[in-house]
Amino acid sequence: MTPPTATSLILLVLAAVTMAAAADGPPATYLFFVDPTPPGVTCMQYHLGILTAALGSEEKAKAAIIYNYKNVVSGFSARVTPAELEAIKKQPHVNRALPSATMQLMSSNFDGVS
């Protein structure tokens, strides 16, 4: 049996890199529900702090965040990769993460009210 050739090793490395990139996957939009904003801090500062801790830089956090929720729920939406999603879910102030979805109304007739 002959030892592996340089070509075989290069193909093996390329396969490993391709599999690692596929495991990370494309970014998707998620809704993150977090603890209420502490007094004296704006919701944007609070949410960016959570994202910065998870993503490693404020620049990445600002690029990922889409919207801040503060009136009915405390949270934000962000576009992140699967690996970033897992890092955000590990943050102590993050309670839940849900994929963003668009829903269609099945009817516009609600008990006779239009």
Side-chain angles (χ1 to χ4, degrees):
M1 186 164 266
T2 61
T5 63
T7 305
S8 299
L9 291 174
I10 290 172
L11 289 174
L12 183 62
V13 168
L14 285 174
V17 168
T18 303
M19 286 175 36
D24 194 26
T29 303
Y30 288 87
L31 302 175
F32 297 94
F33 298 91
V34 299
D35 293 341
T37 304
V41 180
T42 67
C43 74
M44 181 61 136
Q45 291 171 326
Y46 180 56
H47 299 157
L48 278 177
I50 292 170
L51 272 176
T52 298
L55 304 182
S57 78
E58 188 172 328
E59 184 178 293
K60 285 183 182 180
K62 285 181 178 179
I65 201 158
I66 296 170
Y67 193 81
N68 294 294
Y69 301 95
K70 63 181 179 179
N71 293 327
V72 177
V73 297
S74 178
F76 58 92
S77 60
R79 189 160 177 79
V80 297
T81 65
E84 293 169 335
L85 171 66
E86 292 307 314
I88 295 167
K89 286 167 47 175
K90 291 178 183 174
Q91 296 302 306
H93 300 292
V94 175
N95 299 318
R96 188 165 209 190
L98 298 173
S100 180
T102 301
M103 304 293 192
Q104 298 286 331
L105 287 176
M106 294 179 71
S107 171
S108 61
N109 185 7
F110 300 100
D111 293 331
V113 178
S114 297

